[in-house]
Amino acid sequence: MEQVKLEDLTSEQINFQLILYSGNARSKVIQSLREYREGNVAESESLLAQAEQELAIAHNVHFQLVQKEAQGEKVEFSMLFMHSEDHLMSTLTMKELVKELLEIFKAKNI
């Protein structure tokens, strides 16, 4: 898994890392659902696995920010930061929902 080092980045770059990796994951989650609908189950599962990898990187960036704050170092709050957090959290939610939908579809042979 790729490791993003926060100390090498500005606040804006950190936020864009969150947006980049969660955005990549979101695209893969949506494409996974589309591939399943087309009958490409293996490709659908592969895309979900790729989304998990992208989200792991984004989650690691997020975790580093939480650790910084827990250690007493203030994290800069901005609209961009709020947007990047929203992007990450909504993608995590979307991924879980799509995974559950695919399990339902498989169980019902849809």
Side-chain angles (χ1 to χ4, degrees), residues 9-17 76 80:
L9 304 174
T10 66
S11 294
E12 290 81 13
Q13 290 171 325
I14 291 168
N15 292 323
F16 283 117
Q17 291 296 303
E76 183 180 328
L80 184 59

Side-chain angles (χ1 to χ4, degrees), residues 3-66:
Q3 178 81 8
V4 177
K5 295 180 182 159
L6 299 190
E7 61 271 5
D8 299 337
L9 304 174
T10 66
S11 294
E12 290 81 13
Q13 290 171 325
I14 291 168
N15 292 323
F16 283 117
Q17 291 296 303
L18 283 170
I19 292 167
L20 169 72
Y21 288 106
S22 61
N24 288 348
R26 179 185 302 240
S27 295
K28 291 176 189 318
V29 167
I30 297 287
Q31 189 60 37
S32 171
L33 194 56
R34 290 178 179 148
E35 290 293 333
Y36 188 90
R37 184 177 62 210
E38 295 297 318
N40 303 322
V41 176
E43 180 63 16
S44 173
E45 291 171 352
S46 174
L47 284 162
L48 271 181
Q50 292 171 41
E52 293 275 5
Q53 292 172 345
E54 298 279 350
L55 279 170
I57 297 168
H59 189 268
N60 182 266
V61 170
H62 182 260
F63 184 68
Q64 289 180 68
L65 288 171
V66 170

